[in-house]
Amino acid sequence: RTRMQQYSGCADWSIIERVKKSVSVPVLGNGDVRSGADAVNMIAQTGCDSVIVGRAAQGNPWIFAEIRAFLSGEAYTPPTPRERVDMALRHFDLETELHGAKKGLLEMRKHIAWYVSGIPGAAKFRERINTMVFSIYRMSEGKNMVEMEPDIFEATKELRAFMFERVYFREACRV
């Protein structure tokens, strides 16, 4: 894609193919690789040596296992909603550990949205998460971290309870 296109349009894989034919070094293809099938198709169409995944990995760390399975001809089972939420919660824990409670909580809004994308009810879920995070952020204004920690702790408990209820309970009802 060109700079003018930004994230719109389709990646021009023919450019990758021309580069691969004109150089003797390994070439990595990038652009519009959103699945294992896309990776296989890009390699077949361009002759590139490997692929690079960008935005498709946001909220979908499983894409790499999917690509590996498709390239090796093995079966691939996508993650269940429960596995997606478990990963989002693990990511949440790591984010707050790395960046602190307030920044970690704010950062996780977009990540949680990516993790739940495609799950039934995801739009309402994202709206509720954003409302919760915004409320906590507003409560924390003017407070130092020591004063704010109980609010963040309560928020993370509420967030976890909400995510648990939304996915785990829904799955249990389907059985």
Side-chain angles (χ1 to χ4, degrees), residues 77-94:
T77 304
T80 65
R82 178 178 290 180
E83 290 168 327
R84 290 168 75 175
V85 169
D86 286 345
M87 182 63 76
L89 290 171
R90 180 169 181 255
H91 188 166
F92 180 76
D93 290 340
L94 293 170

Side-chain angles (χ1 to χ4, degrees), residues 2-175:
T2 65
R3 183 191 289 197
M4 293 286 288
Q5 285 178 300
Q6 294 185 350
Y7 298 119
S8 65
C10 295
D12 186 353
W13 290 359
S14 68
I15 296 170
I16 299 167
E17 181 181 18
R18 288 196 308 269
V19 169
K20 177 61 182 168
K21 288 178 179 177
S22 67
V23 299
S24 60
V25 296
V27 173
L28 306 177
N30 177 261
D32 294 337
V33 177
R34 297 182 196 100
S35 67
D38 289 342
V40 168
N41 289 336
M42 176 183 271
I43 291 170
Q45 289 176 28
T46 68
C48 67
D49 298 284
S50 191
V51 298
I52 299 172
V53 177
R55 288 175 291 132
Q58 294 173 326
N60 184 20
W62 303 274
I63 191 169
F64 304 105
E66 179 182 352
I67 290 170
R68 186 179 317 116
F70 271 74
L71 290 173
S72 65
E74 296 172 8
Y76 173 73
T77 304
T80 65
R82 178 178 290 180
E83 290 168 327
R84 290 168 75 175
V85 169
D86 286 345
M87 182 63 76
L89 290 171
R90 180 169 181 255
H91 188 166
F92 180 76
D93 290 340
L94 293 170
E95 190 80 33
T96 55
E97 184 179 312
L98 181 65
H99 295 292
K102 186 174 182 179
K103 185 176 180 190
L105 189 60
L106 288 172
E107 272 295 305
M108 278 308 294
R109 287 183 307 172
K110 66 183 173 195
H111 294 287
I112 288 171
W114 290 324
Y115 280 110
V116 300
S117 179
I119 294 176
K124 287 183 181 181
F125 182 79
R126 284 191 301 271
E127 182 181 318
R128 176 72 175 123
I129 296 295
N130 285 330
T131 301
M132 288 169 58
V133 171
F134 181 73
S135 296
I136 282 130
Y137 189 73
R138 293 294 304 230
M139 284 189 312
S140 70
E141 287 181 344
K143 295 181 180 180
N144 65 36
M145 283 306 290
V146 173
E147 294 172 320
M148 201 176 77
E149 282 301 324
D151 293 338
I152 298 295
F153 180 73
E154 285 305 311
T156 59
K157 277 180 31 185
E158 186 179 350
L159 178 64
R160 286 174 174 284
F162 180 71
M163 290 176 77
F164 180 85
E165 181 274 330
R166 184 76 183 147
V167 174
Y168 284 73
F169 182 72
R170 180 176 260 186
E171 276 190 5
C173 290
R174 282 192 220 144
V175 176

